Amino acid sequence: MTNVLVCIKRVPETSSEVRLTDDSMDIDAGYVGYTLSSHDECAIELASQIAEETKGTATALSVGSPDAAEQLRGAVALGCRGAILLEAELGQFGPVDIAAAIAAEVARRSDDGEEFDLILVGNDAADTGDFQVGVRLAYLLGRPVAMGISTVEIDGDRVMARGVAGAGTEIYSLPLPAVVAIQEGGVDPRYPSIPGRMRAKRMKIEQRPADVTPSGSGRVRLRRSAPKPSEVQILGEGPDAAAALVDVMYEIGVVPR
Amino acid sequence: MITVLAEVDGADVAETSLEALTFARTLAGGRGTSLGVVVIGIGETTDEIDDSAADSLARTFADYGATRVRFIGGPDVAAYCAAAYAAALVDAARQWQSDVVIASGTPRGTEMLAHAAVRLDAVMAANAVETLSDDPLVVSRQVMGGSILEDMRVDSPVAVLTVAGHAVEAAPAERGESSDSGRAAPEIERVEHRADPADLVMAMQRLEPTEQADTAALTGARVVVGAGRGVGGADEFDDVLELVDLLGGALGVSRVVTNLGWRPHHEQVGQTGSRISPDLYVACGISGAIQHLAGCSSARTIVAINSDADAPMVTNAQYAVIGDLHEIIPAVNEELRRRRG
Ligand SMILES: Cc1cc2nc3c(=O)[nH]c(=O)nc-3n(C[C@H](O)[C@H](O)[C@H](O)COP(=O)(O)OP(=O)(O)OC[C@H]3O[C@@H](n4cnc5c(N)ncnc54)[C@H](O)[C@@H]3O)c2cc1C
């Protein structure tokens, strides 16, 4: 029986154009949708699979605004049995603060007799891309951690974690309890089932303020990267342009002899 | 002294590490300080570090402005272990009294620096592209997949930074660029790292070299042919694969393609896939979403083949052919075959 805590973050959907707030300190929430990072979606899938296979539980946790309830309900629809929202104004929270808030909650629950054997986090969030919440959390809890992992498997009192790196698949075997940072690519997140969605709707989310005094993110401002002026040279339309394209390939010297 | 973590393969230094060194040298120049480079995990014992490889690496680092190079080996760092490696890096940073530790934003660089940041009680800024001011240290870094920059104050006594891949062009130091840089022979140290047993529980158990999962072929390719949703289906890749073959390149795909299960994830280019920097990227049926561009914008030349002349992939390319890729690519393949005789 493995109890998994999966930590997820509500992030702006940045596929389309994003606008900044007047003070340039944030994304203008009025113009974007919100979603989960793809890494987090995969972490939820893995948490649900482990809970099913080991007859344990998967619980989702998010640090953020009350709006993050939407993403937590999404996680419940996908198989998580519980949802915890640690309320915080994310603008004032840096990765050090997020890790501290999660660690405090895990410790608090442990004092109440509720243990999480495995904590999954997304490798990095699609918005801030800090790449460190998992590692900081692991140090605060005194647990081993692996990053860049795409699949996990429970093997007795250990977790086998696999991640794809340049040279092949790297395999780690960590003693539980452990923290693992998940990267997209190992599993396909499932679609929510109808009973899952019903359960999510009824679910009572445990909500409380994050138990930290934030040290901040260091953000001075956001700005748009300067758009490159388009310098495209249209070689032509349709198959007739093939010769011109091959000319370019020869010109830049990439056609093998 | 600024400490830079370098990733090497034999006597070759990763291009991204040279970029990180270039970034670090600019920062060091402004501060009037010098650069020290750390290389970890190159053999069972420090003696195993091949002398000629070490000399050649040290020479490369010197060209990039380093005055000290530390090779760290030993049985405890023979297999990759982020915690033990970070401890070795932190030892160097402390002994060199560094107030800045820098690596490239690769998976390894990022993981080790996250550990190092905790151990140094430091603020870490991931994916930096530029230093905006030095006192206090403010860096500009990529967020939102690269479409937005965040100016971030890094105000702990030690600052930990990763440099975004291909955001800085790697450039050797010019003579006299700073008082210390460009010296022909940097001071070389060989150190055997003895790890705390607690750190070793995180060590990699094994590496399964699988041809299938080889992202190195994609990230190192001189030519990448990209394929997106416009290809139309899992069975529609024949023309594209033939073009890959004719150019001796690698196939890279968009996230939609991997999400639909048309191709495996390790072929994905972008924010959550591989970052590539080939001489030529031919993007076929790819719209050019910001997350995709994050992975391919450092290609030297981009050619887009797309039915939509207004697609961002087209406006971000140097050359484009407008139309149906299934008509264009076979004609390109034919033309390549014809010219090669
Ligand atoms: C957190 C996050 C991370 C992401 N990470 C990545 C990532 O790493 N990599 C990535 O690629 N995406 C990533 N995305 C997804 C990205 O936003 C886009 O959805 C995706 O890149 C679009 O893929 P596409 O261009 O193949 O498909 P589409 O956007 O559907 O574009 C298809 C293109 O093909 C053209 N086309 C159609 N038919 C033809 C034809 N017959 N001939 C020629 N052209 C044709 C169309 O004009 C269009 O331009 C991420 C998104 C998020 C939210």
Side-chain angles (χ1 to χ4, degrees), chain B residues 73-125:
Chain B
D76 291 351
V77 290
Y80 178 63
C81 173
Y85 276 42
L89 175 65
V90 164
D91 283 348
R94 288 216 172 102
Q95 282 161 24
W96 294 348
Q97 295 179 346
S98 293
D99 42 18
V100 186
V101 179
I102 295 181
S104 59
T106 57
R108 283 264 198 281
T110 307
E111 183 175 26
M112 269 187 251
L113 259 57
H115 281 266
V118 181
R119 289 163 189 260
L120 291 164
D121 199 10
V123 170
M124 166 167 154

Coordinates of all heavy atoms in Angstrom, one line a residue, chain B residues 73-125:
Chain B
G73 N 37.2 12.9 -9.2 CA 36.9 11.5 -9.5 C 36.7 10.7 -8.2 O 36.5 11.3 -7.1
G74 N 36.9 9.4 -8.4 CA 36.8 8.5 -7.2 C 35.6 7.6 -7.3 O 34.6 7.9 -8.0
P75 N 35.6 6.5 -6.6 CA 34.5 5.5 -6.7 C 33.1 6.1 -6.3 O 32.1 5.7 -6.9 CB 34.9 4.4 -5.7 CG 36.1 4.9 -5.0 CD 36.7 6.1 -5.7
D76 N 33.1 7.0 -5.4 CA 31.8 7.5 -5.0 C 31.1 8.4 -6.1 O 29.9 8.6 -6.0 CB 31.9 8.4 -3.7 CG 32.3 7.5 -2.5 OD1 32.3 6.3 -2.7 OD2 32.6 8.1 -1.5
V77 N 31.9 8.9 -7.0 CA 31.3 9.7 -8.1 C 31.5 9.0 -9.5 O 31.4 9.6 -10.5 CB 31.8 11.1 -8.1 CG1 31.3 11.9 -6.9 CG2 33.3 11.2 -8.2
A78 N 31.7 7.7 -9.4 CA 31.8 6.9 -10.7 C 30.5 6.9 -11.4 O 30.4 7.0 -12.6 CB 32.4 5.6 -10.4
A79 N 29.4 6.6 -10.7 CA 28.1 6.6 -11.3 C 27.4 8.0 -10.9 O 27.7 8.5 -9.9 CB 27.2 5.5 -10.7
Y80 N 26.6 8.4 -11.8 CA 25.9 9.7 -11.6 C 25.1 9.7 -10.3 O 24.3 8.8 -10.1 CB 25.1 10.1 -12.8 CG 24.4 11.5 -12.5 CD1 25.1 12.6 -12.4 CD2 23.0 11.6 -12.4 CE1 24.5 13.8 -12.1 CE2 22.4 12.8 -12.2 CZ 23.1 13.9 -12.0 OH 22.5 15.1 -11.8
C81 N 25.3 10.7 -9.5 CA 24.5 10.8 -8.2 C 24.5 12.3 -7.9 O 25.5 12.9 -7.5 CB 25.2 10.1 -7.1 SG 24.4 10.4 -5.5
A82 N 23.3 12.9 -8.2 CA 23.2 14.4 -8.1 C 23.7 14.9 -6.7 O 24.4 15.9 -6.7 CB 21.7 14.8 -8.3
A83 N 23.3 14.2 -5.6 CA 23.7 14.7 -4.3 C 25.2 14.7 -4.1 O 25.8 15.7 -3.6 CB 23.0 13.9 -3.2
A84 N 25.8 13.6 -4.4 CA 27.3 13.5 -4.2 C 28.0 14.4 -5.2 O 29.0 15.1 -4.8 CB 27.7 12.0 -4.5
Y85 N 27.5 14.5 -6.4 CA 28.2 15.5 -7.3 C 28.1 16.9 -6.8 O 29.0 17.7 -6.9 CB 27.5 15.3 -8.7 CG 28.0 14.2 -9.6 CD1 28.3 13.0 -9.1 CD2 28.3 14.4 -11.0 CE1 28.7 11.9 -9.9 CE2 28.7 13.4 -11.8 CZ 28.9 12.2 -11.2 OH 29.4 11.1 -12.0
A86 N 26.9 17.2 -6.4 CA 26.6 18.6 -5.9 C 27.5 18.9 -4.7 O 28.1 20.0 -4.5 CB 25.2 18.8 -5.5
A87 N 27.7 17.9 -3.8 CA 28.6 18.1 -2.6 C 30.0 18.4 -3.1 O 30.7 19.2 -2.5 CB 28.5 16.8 -1.8
A88 N 30.5 17.7 -4.1 CA 31.8 17.9 -4.6 C 31.9 19.3 -5.2 O 32.9 20.0 -5.1 CB 32.2 16.8 -5.7
L89 N 30.9 19.7 -5.9 CA 30.9 21.0 -6.5 C 30.9 22.1 -5.4 O 31.6 23.1 -5.5 CB 29.6 21.2 -7.4 CG 29.3 22.5 -8.0 CD1 30.4 22.9 -9.0 CD2 27.9 22.5 -8.7
V90 N 30.1 21.9 -4.4 CA 30.0 22.8 -3.3 C 31.3 22.9 -2.6 O 31.8 24.0 -2.2 CB 28.8 22.4 -2.3 CG1 28.9 23.1 -1.0 CG2 27.5 22.7 -3.0
D91 N 32.0 21.8 -2.4 CA 33.4 21.8 -1.8 C 34.3 22.8 -2.6 O 35.0 23.6 -2.0 CB 34.0 20.4 -1.8 CG 33.4 19.5 -0.8 OD1 32.7 20.0 0.1 OD2 33.7 18.3 -0.8
A92 N 34.3 22.6 -3.9 CA 35.1 23.5 -4.7 C 34.7 25.0 -4.6 O 35.5 25.8 -4.3 CB 35.0 23.1 -6.2
A93 N 33.4 25.2 -4.6 CA 32.9 26.6 -4.5 C 33.3 27.2 -3.2 O 33.7 28.4 -3.1 CB 31.4 26.6 -4.7
R94 N 33.2 26.4 -2.1 CA 33.6 26.9 -0.8 C 35.1 27.2 -0.7 O 35.5 28.3 -0.3 CB 33.2 25.9 0.3 CG 31.7 25.9 0.5 CD 31.4 25.6 2.0 NE 29.9 25.7 2.2 CZ 29.1 24.7 2.3 NH1 29.6 23.5 2.3 NH2 27.8 24.9 2.5
Q95 N 35.9 26.2 -1.2 CA 37.4 26.4 -1.1 C 37.8 27.6 -2.0 O 38.8 28.3 -1.7 CB 38.1 25.1 -1.5 CG 38.1 24.1 -0.4 CD 38.3 22.7 -0.9 OE1 38.9 22.5 -1.9 NE2 37.9 21.7 -0.1
W96 N 37.1 27.8 -3.1 CA 37.5 28.9 -3.9 C 36.8 30.2 -3.5 O 36.9 31.2 -4.2 CB 37.1 28.6 -5.4 CG 37.9 27.4 -6.0 CD1 39.0 26.9 -5.5 CD2 37.7 26.7 -7.2 NE1 39.5 25.9 -6.3 CE2 38.7 25.8 -7.4 CE3 36.7 26.9 -8.2 CZ2 38.7 24.9 -8.5 CZ3 36.7 26.0 -9.3 CH2 37.7 25.0 -9.4
Q97 N 36.0 30.1 -2.4 CA 35.3 31.3 -1.9 C 34.5 32.0 -3.0 O 34.5 33.2 -3.1 CB 36.3 32.3 -1.3 CG 37.0 31.7 -0.1 CD 37.9 32.6 0.6 OE1 38.4 33.6 0.0 NE2 38.3 32.3 1.8
S98 N 33.8 31.1 -3.8 CA 32.9 31.6 -4.8 C 31.6 32.2 -4.3 O 31.0 31.6 -3.4 CB 32.6 30.5 -5.8 OG 33.7 30.1 -6.5
D99 N 31.2 33.3 -4.9 CA 29.9 33.8 -4.5 C 28.9 33.6 -5.7 O 27.8 34.0 -5.6 CB 29.9 35.2 -4.0 CG 30.8 36.1 -4.8 OD1 31.2 35.7 -6.0 OD2 31.2 37.2 -4.3
V100 N 29.4 33.0 -6.8 CA 28.5 32.6 -7.8 C 28.9 31.2 -8.3 O 30.0 30.9 -8.5 CB 28.6 33.6 -9.0 CG1 27.5 33.3 -10.1 CG2 28.4 35.1 -8.6
V101 N 27.9 30.4 -8.5 CA 28.1 29.1 -9.1 C 27.2 28.9 -10.3 O 26.0 29.2 -10.3 CB 27.7 27.9 -8.1 CG1 27.9 26.6 -8.7 CG2 28.6 28.1 -6.8
I102 N 27.8 28.5 -11.4 CA 27.0 28.5 -12.7 C 27.2 27.2 -13.4 O 28.2 26.6 -13.4 CB 27.6 29.7 -13.6 CG1 27.3 31.0 -13.0 CG2 27.0 29.6 -15.0 CD1 27.8 32.2 -13.8
A103 N 26.1 26.7 -14.0 CA 26.1 25.6 -14.9 C 25.2 25.9 -16.1 O 24.4 26.8 -16.1 CB 25.7 24.3 -14.2
S104 N 25.2 25.0 -17.1 CA 24.3 25.2 -18.2 C 23.0 24.6 -17.8 O 22.9 23.6 -16.9 CB 24.8 24.6 -19.5 OG 25.1 23.2 -19.3
G105 N 21.9 25.0 -18.4 CA 20.5 24.5 -18.0 C 20.2 23.2 -18.6 O 19.0 23.0 -19.0
T106 N 21.1 22.3 -18.6 CA 20.8 20.9 -19.1 C 20.2 20.1 -18.0 O 20.2 20.6 -16.8 CB 22.1 20.2 -19.5 OG1 23.0 20.2 -18.3 CG2 22.8 20.9 -20.6
P107 N 19.6 19.0 -18.2 CA 19.0 18.2 -17.1 C 20.0 18.0 -16.0 O 19.7 18.2 -14.8 CB 18.6 16.9 -17.8 CG 18.4 17.2 -19.2 CD 19.3 18.3 -19.5
R108 N 21.3 17.6 -16.3 CA 22.3 17.4 -15.3 C 22.6 18.6 -14.5 O 22.7 18.7 -13.3 CB 23.6 16.8 -15.9 CG 23.5 15.4 -16.3 CD 24.2 14.6 -15.2 NE 24.5 13.2 -15.7 CZ 23.7 12.2 -15.8 NH1 22.4 12.4 -15.6 NH2 24.1 11.1 -16.3
G109 N 22.9 19.7 -15.3 CA 23.3 21.0 -14.8 C 22.3 21.5 -13.8 O 22.6 21.9 -12.7
T110 N 21.0 21.4 -14.2 CA 19.9 21.9 -13.4 C 19.8 21.1 -12.1 O 19.6 21.7 -11.1 CB 18.6 21.9 -14.2 OG1 18.8 22.5 -15.5 CG2 17.5 22.5 -13.5
E111 N 19.8 19.8 -12.3 CA 19.6 19.0 -11.1 C 20.7 19.2 -10.1 O 20.5 19.4 -8.9 CB 19.6 17.5 -11.5 CG 19.3 16.6 -10.3 CD 19.1 15.1 -10.7 OE1 19.7 14.7 -11.7 OE2 18.4 14.4 -10.0
M112 N 22.0 19.2 -10.5 CA 23.1 19.4 -9.6 C 23.0 20.8 -8.9 O 23.3 20.9 -7.8 CB 24.4 19.3 -10.3 CG 24.9 17.9 -10.3 SD 26.6 17.9 -11.1 CE 26.2 17.1 -12.6
L113 N 22.7 21.8 -9.7 CA 22.7 23.1 -9.1 C 21.5 23.3 -8.2 O 21.6 24.1 -7.2 CB 22.6 24.2 -10.2 CG 24.1 24.8 -10.4 CD1 25.1 23.7 -10.7 CD2 24.1 25.9 -11.4
A114 N 20.4 22.6 -8.4 CA 19.3 22.7 -7.4 C 19.8 22.1 -6.1 O 19.6 22.7 -5.0 CB 18.1 21.9 -7.9
H115 N 20.5 21.0 -6.1 CA 21.1 20.4 -4.9 C 22.1 21.4 -4.3 O 22.2 21.7 -3.1 CB 21.8 19.1 -5.2 CG 20.9 17.9 -5.3 ND1 20.6 17.1 -4.3 CD2 20.2 17.5 -6.4 CE1 19.8 16.2 -4.7 NE2 19.5 16.4 -5.9
A116 N 23.0 22.0 -5.1 CA 24.0 22.9 -4.6 C 23.4 24.1 -4.0 O 23.9 24.6 -3.0 CB 24.9 23.3 -5.8
A117 N 22.3 24.6 -4.6 CA 21.6 25.8 -4.1 C 21.2 25.5 -2.6 O 21.3 26.4 -1.7 CB 20.5 26.2 -4.9
V118 N 20.6 24.4 -2.4 CA 20.1 24.1 -1.0 C 21.3 24.0 -0.1 O 21.3 24.6 1.0 CB 19.4 22.7 -1.0 CG1 18.9 22.4 0.5 CG2 18.2 22.7 -1.9
R119 N 22.4 23.3 -0.5 CA 23.6 23.2 0.4 C 24.3 24.5 0.6 O 24.9 24.7 1.7 CB 24.6 22.2 -0.3 CG 24.0 20.7 -0.2 CD 24.7 19.8 -1.2 NE 24.0 18.5 -1.2 CZ 24.4 17.5 -0.6 NH1 25.5 17.5 0.1 NH2 23.7 16.3 -0.7
L120 N 24.2 25.4 -0.3 CA 24.9 26.7 -0.1 C 23.9 27.8 0.4 O 24.3 28.9 0.6 CB 25.4 27.2 -1.5 CG 26.6 26.4 -2.0 CD1 26.8 26.7 -3.5 CD2 27.9 26.7 -1.3
D121 N 22.7 27.3 0.7 CA 21.6 28.2 1.2 C 21.5 29.4 0.3 O 21.5 30.6 0.7 CB 22.0 28.7 2.7 CG 20.8 29.2 3.4 OD1 19.7 29.0 2.9 OD2 21.0 29.9 4.4
A122 N 21.4 29.1 -1.0 CA 21.5 30.1 -2.0 C 20.2 30.2 -2.8 O 19.4 29.3 -2.9 CB 22.6 29.8 -3.0
V123 N 19.9 31.4 -3.4 CA 18.8 31.6 -4.3 C 19.3 31.0 -5.7 O 20.5 31.3 -6.0 CB 18.5 33.0 -4.4 CG1 17.5 33.3 -5.6 CG2 17.8 33.5 -3.1
M124 N 18.5 30.3 -6.4 CA 18.8 29.8 -7.7 C 17.9 30.4 -8.7 O 16.7 30.5 -8.6 CB 18.7 28.3 -7.7 CG 18.7 27.7 -9.1 SD 18.9 25.9 -9.0 CE 18.2 25.4 -10.5
A125 N 18.6 30.9 -9.8 CA 17.8 31.4 -10.9 C 18.1 30.4 -12.1 O 19.2 30.3 -12.5 CB 18.2 32.8 -11.3

